[in-house]
């Protein structure tokens, strides 16, 4: 009996090796699990559920198969695929979660998050995040023709890459104050997130008690997963 957590696969047609590993993961590990949580950035870009991208179609079909096989799959938006909506949920049977989301794992209270919201030192990014998560902004976006959205996404990605390269490593990580705050506010034992691509297990000192922060890794060169069973959570690499 195991629950699996993954994030930051950044699937795209240009990186078929990641897609292949993910499809294999769905057929093997995930098929034997109790349920699967995908904590954001499953896709490198998502301009709308109407995108006829054939690579994404293959992934959607595989998720549908897993769900139909009786394995519940949960998805939380990342900063790349925040435009995933009800169409995707209907096609795949995947349930979309709010960020953050509290779950209980074998008696431990766990807060799930993509993690980008915790990077509060990146003020510019937080402004963009706020704008792009506004339902009105998203509705305006969805109303645009697909080809315009694809062009805009390509442009946004180019800019984001430039900005990432220009920012110091420090600012790209989570802010420790924001971490302690969200753990305290939600009264959890564990915070589990991705986004930073810095896999690890950390102790968070809250003064009166200690909590744990588990960070999932990206899937650029290998898989990264947290397997959680009755013995607790285990962060593991999956060789490609
Ligand atoms: Mn991210």
């Amino acid at each position: 009996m195991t629950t699996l957590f993954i994030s930051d696969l950044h699937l795209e047609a240009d990186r078929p090796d990641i897609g292949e590993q993910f499809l294999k993961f769905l057929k093997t590990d995930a098929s034997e699990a109790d349920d699967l949580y995908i904590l954001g950035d499953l896709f490198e870009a998502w301009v709308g559920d109407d995108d006829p991208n054939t690579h994404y179609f293959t992934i959607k079909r595989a998720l549908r198969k897993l769900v139909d096989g009786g394995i519940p799959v949960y998805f939380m938006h990342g900063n790349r695929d925040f435009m995933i909506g009800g169409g995707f949920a209907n096609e795949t049977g995947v349930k979309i979660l709010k960020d953050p989301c509290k779950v209980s794992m074998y008696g431990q209270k766990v807060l799930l998050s993509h993690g980008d919201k915790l990077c509060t030192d990146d003020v510019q990014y937080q402004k963009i995040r706020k704008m792009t998560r506004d339902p009105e902004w998203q509705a305006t976006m969805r109303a645009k023709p697909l080809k315009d959205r694809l062009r805009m996404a390509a442009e946004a990605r180019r800019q984001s890459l430039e900005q990432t390269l220009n920012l110091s490593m420090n600012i790209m990580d989570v802010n420790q104050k924001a971490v302690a705050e969200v753990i305290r506010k939600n009264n959890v034992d564990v915070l589990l997130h991705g986004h930073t691509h810095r896999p690890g297990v950390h102790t968070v000192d809250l003064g009166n008690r200690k909590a744990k922060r588990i960070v999932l890794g990206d899937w650029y060169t290998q898989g990264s997963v947290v397997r959680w069973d009755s013995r607790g959570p285990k962060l593991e690499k999956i060789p490609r």
Side-chain angles (χ1 to χ4, degrees):
M1 305 299 269
T2 309
T3 296
L4 302 176
F5 299 89
I6 56 171
S7 71
D8 301 282
L9 289 91
H10 294 265
L11 296 171
E12 60 173 330
D14 291 349
R15 291 291 308 269
D17 52 324
I18 308 176
E20 269 162 40
Q21 187 176 11
F22 180 56
L23 293 175
K24 192 180 154 203
F25 172 82
L26 293 182
K27 269 192 225 153
T28 55
D29 303 60
S31 296
E32 289 156 21
D34 286 328
D35 37 21
L36 169 66
Y37 285 83
I38 305 168
L39 302 184
D41 288 355
L42 173 61
F43 299 101
E44 173 67 9
W46 195 267
V47 298
D49 295 346
D50 55 341
D51 187 352
N53 185 312
T54 52
H55 184 63
Y56 291 173
F57 179 76
T58 309
I59 302 295
K60 283 191 280 189
R61 200 173 45 189
L63 286 168
R64 178 86 245 179
K65 207 174 160 197
L66 185 68
V67 171
D68 286 348
I71 316 285
V73 180
Y74 304 95
F75 169 80
M76 183 178 279
H77 291 122
N79 52 300
R80 299 288 186 167
D81 48 17
F82 60 86
M83 289 286 284
I84 281 182
F88 174 87
N90 282 336
E91 274 177 81
T92 58
V94 169
K95 291 188 191 81
I96 298 181
L97 302 176
K98 285 221 164 70
D99 183 357
C101 171
K102 208 167 148 177
V103 295
S104 176
M105 293 298 304
Y106 300 93
Q108 290 202 74
K109 286 175 278 180
V110 184
L111 193 70
L112 307 174
S113 181
H114 178 57
D116 55 329
K117 215 175 168 181
L118 302 167
C119 300
T120 52
D121 294 332
D122 193 346
V123 177
Q124 186 57 30
Y125 170 70
Q126 293 301 331
K127 270 190 206 157
I128 294 168
R129 187 184 192 281
K130 204 174 164 201
M131 177 184 83
T132 54
R133 302 310 156 89
D134 177 25
E136 238 174 81
W137 184 91
Q138 293 198 0
T140 310
M141 204 56 169
R142 285 195 178 93
K144 290 184 196 294
L146 180 66
K147 90 173 159 21
D148 292 4
R149 278 178 276 145
L150 286 168
R151 188 175 40 75
M152 288 170 77
E155 177 64 15
R157 266 179 74 192
R158 199 182 55 75
Q159 278 178 8
S160 158
L161 196 67
E162 269 172 19
Q163 207 179 51
T164 304
L165 293 172
N166 288 332
L167 283 172
S168 76
M169 287 304 278
N170 211 20
I171 214 164
M172 294 303 292
D173 204 356
V174 293
N175 175 290
Q176 296 305 325
K177 253 193 182 159
V179 165
E181 207 176 278
V182 81
I183 291 174
R184 234 183 251 122
K185 191 178 148 204
N186 291 280
N187 188 30
V188 289
D189 308 302
V190 181
L191 169 65
L192 175 51
H193 70 85
H195 179 65
T196 60
H197 301 200
R198 297 171 191 207
V201 180
H202 308 272
T203 301
V204 183
D205 195 348
L206 299 167
N208 56 340
R209 66 178 180 99
K210 286 189 168 68
K212 202 187 262 185
R213 179 170 72 95
I214 307 174
V215 189
L216 289 158
D218 63 71
W219 282 50
Y220 287 148
T221 55
Q222 61 191 355
S224 179
V225 63
V226 163
R227 299 178 200 274
W228 202 318
D229 60 22
S230 57
R231 292 163 297 180
K234 232 162 116 195
L235 175 64
E236 284 174 12
K237 293 169 187 164
I238 314 170
R240 185 155 304 160

